[in-house]
Amino acid sequence: MKEIGVAIIGCGAITRVHLDAVVGSKMARLIAVVDSRKERARETAARYSCQWYEDYRTVLADEAVEVIHLCTPHYLHAPMAIEGVRTGKHVLVEKPVAINVGEAEKMIREAKINGRYIGVSFQNRYNPTSLKAKELLESGQLGPVRGIKGLVTWYRGHSYYAQSDWRGEYATEGGGVLINQAIHTLDLMQWFAGDVVSLKGNVSTRLLNDIIEVEDTADATINFQNGARGIFYATNCYTVNSPVEIEIQCTKASLSLRGEQLILIKDNKQSILVDEDGCNPKYKSYWGKSHGIAIACFYRSVLTNDSGGFISVEEGIKSLQIIEGIYKSSSSGKEIKIKNS
Ligand SMILES: NC(=O)c1ccc[n+]([C@@H]2O[C@H](COP(=O)([O-])OP(=O)(O)OC[C@H]3O[C@@H](n4cnc5c(N)ncnc54)[C@H](O)[C@@H]3O)[C@@H](O)[C@H]2O)c1
């Protein structure tokens, strides 16, 4: 099988997960890593036996590199991805797609113009719990979704924000708990319940006002196109990183996802459908263990020219539209209509 030449830009916290997936893949070969902090790039390259660079444009100029992974701060996603597709690379970008909807729309346009793919790392869609829930919802056996609830109660303290200078500021992170931590849950909620038409929401900073300008707590009441109602709450002010909870109420039964467990509740009886140990001890438990699957799907799509085989920016933009809506609603106090892409 042909091996795709890969370079990874950004050698920070999440990068090990990408590196392990690349070196473990029969579809890809790691050519280089890049970091503007050259010690990080050099150390990472030494561990993974590849080339290293300080300037990402070096890998864009390298014809052997066909796919770039962007593991960089949020504000760099759109400009780097656009430059990537303009120089002929396929791009796999970490979440969020971009720091706002406008930038994500530009990425969609540029990917089309240049005939290249941009995929987004929403790895939690590939969790066994998510896949099984989606399959059951699509089968029709639960009936239509009437309500969906998403709860993210995590902890991010001073040290988390001190580790990386781009976190905690609107210009570089694009937001707080919504765009960084809870975006996976918003992505899953709309993936399960369908397009969002309007919402009313609120954001606030309750714990770390002295060091961050972004929100650490957010909530929303969400109206879906199919008439379902969503309730969403997320905070970085809890004491631990509790498992994310999503409950889906359908007319004939309901589903409860909690961490790596999926339970079906029907006729007052509970059945455990999925119960997995989701943690890879090498990584943070809340990253889950599906990054490798998401990356493999992207590589397979590149190799087989299948634009439907990975999570595209057209999909990834939906959670950003919800997030922008919550910010707008919070500042205006009004219900906000959501434009569906
Ligand atoms: N999918 C997930 O579950 C998940 C989990 C954690 C982080 N992430 C995402 O991964 C991305 C990176 O997050 P992180 O926590 O690893 O951040 P980080 O700060 O630990 O790492 C970012 C790295 O990018 C480097 N960098 C900054 N500017 C650069 C430039 N111009 N050129 C090259 N390198 C540059 C920094 O030096 C740093 O090493 C973010 O988008 C984040 O939201 C996703």
Side-chain angles (χ1 to χ4, degrees):
M1 187 194 288
K2 177 187 177 300
E3 283 184 334
I4 301 165
V6 170
I8 298 188
I9 304 176
C11 297
I14 197 64
T15 306
R16 302 175 282 159
V17 184
H18 286 253
L19 284 163
D20 290 346
V22 181
V23 297
S25 171
K26 289 194 171 65
M27 292 182 277
R29 151 178 91 88
L30 180 65
I31 294 180
V33 291
V34 181
D35 203 292
S36 48
R37 291 163 71 167
K38 72 177 175 194
E39 282 65 42
R40 281 196 179 181
R42 192 178 10 223
E43 281 163 22
T44 309
R47 259 184 287 129
Y48 286 87
S49 309
C50 64
Q51 299 163 46
W52 64 271
Y53 305 104
E54 251 180 293
D55 184 347
Y56 72 96
R57 291 194 172 95
T58 318
V59 293
L60 298 188
D62 183 345
E63 282 185 8
V65 173
E66 292 160 271
V67 168
I68 55 168
H69 292 221
L70 296 181
C71 297
T72 45
H74 299 173
Y75 73 104
L76 294 173
H77 290 183
M80 284 181 167
I82 289 171
E83 236 181 303
V85 293
R86 283 182 180 167
T87 51
K89 311 302 179 199
H90 298 285
V91 180
L92 182 64
V93 61
E94 260 300 345
K95 51 54 66 173
V97 173
I99 53 170
N100 58 50
V101 171
E103 290 202 344
E105 285 171 345
K106 274 191 214 149
M107 289 163 75
I108 293 174
R109 280 198 298 277
E110 288 288 336
K112 275 197 191 124
I113 292 168
N114 293 286
R116 289 293 178 269
Y117 296 152
I118 305 180
V120 194
S121 242
F122 275 122
Q123 77 278 2
N124 291 334
R125 286 198 191 186
Y126 297 101
N127 293 346
T129 45
S130 307
L131 290 172
K132 185 70 190 168
K134 182 76 172 167
E135 178 199 316
L136 284 169
L137 291 165
E138 286 186 346
S139 73
Q141 57 186 289
L142 309 180
V145 178
R146 305 311 309 147
I148 183 161
K149 183 170 77 178
L151 295 180
V152 184
T153 51
W154 284 2
Y155 173 72
R156 294 292 181 275
H158 283 82
S159 64
Y160 171 80
Y161 287 100
Q163 271 158 23
S164 298
D165 56 4
W166 59 273
R167 294 180 187 146
E169 290 175 27
Y170 283 110
T172 46
E173 193 177 11
V177 67
L178 277 176
I179 203 164
N180 201 334
Q181 285 75 36
I183 192 166
H184 287 291
T185 305
L186 287 169
D187 175 61
L188 288 177
M189 286 174 75
Q190 65 79 32
W191 195 51
F192 292 144
D195 285 341
V196 170
V197 286
S198 66
L199 58 81
K200 199 157 183 198
N202 192 60
V203 299
S204 59
T205 312
R206 300 187 184 175
L207 211 57
L208 298 177
N209 313 59
D210 54 334
I211 59 157
I212 60 171
E213 63 176 13
V214 297
E215 84 287 350
D216 59 25
T217 302
D219 67 76
T221 306
I222 301 171
N223 300 309
F224 291 86
Q225 200 151 45
N226 60 7
R229 183 177 315 129
I231 297 296
F232 165 79
Y233 175 77
T235 186
N236 278 340
C237 302
Y238 197 41
T239 41
V240 291
N241 296 307
S242 284
V244 169
E245 294 176 46
I246 299 178
E247 186 179 88
I248 311 165
Q249 290 285 338
C250 302
T251 51
K252 297 182 192 164
S254 61
L255 293 171
S256 162
L257 292 86
R258 187 171 193 276
E260 297 306 309
Q261 195 178 61
L262 173 69
I263 296 176
L264 173 77
I265 303 126
K266 192 168 193 263
D267 302 328
N268 292 321
K269 277 194 208 128
Q270 296 200 1
S271 337
I272 299 175
L273 302 183
V274 178
D275 193 4
E276 293 225 333
D277 173 11
C279 315
N280 180 333
K282 282 170 73 183
Y283 313 131
K284 305 267 189 210
S285 60
Y286 46 80
W287 292 346
K289 56 180 183 186
S290 303
H291 257 101
I293 305 172
I295 291 167
C297 287
F298 189 69
Y299 291 164
R300 206 169 297 115
S301 297
V302 169
L303 285 170
T304 60
N305 208 10
D306 171 14
S307 61
F310 61 96
I311 301 171
S312 62
V313 181
E314 285 87 339
E315 279 293 300
I317 201 172
K318 293 178 181 180
S319 46
L320 267 188
Q321 288 164 333
I322 299 169
I323 287 168
E324 260 189 30
I326 297 175
Y327 289 134
K328 280 185 194 154
S329 175
S330 187
S331 58
S332 67
K334 294 189 175 143
E335 179 163 326
I336 300 295
K337 290 206 181 337
I338 301 298
K339 177 188 137 204
N340 290 297
S341 54

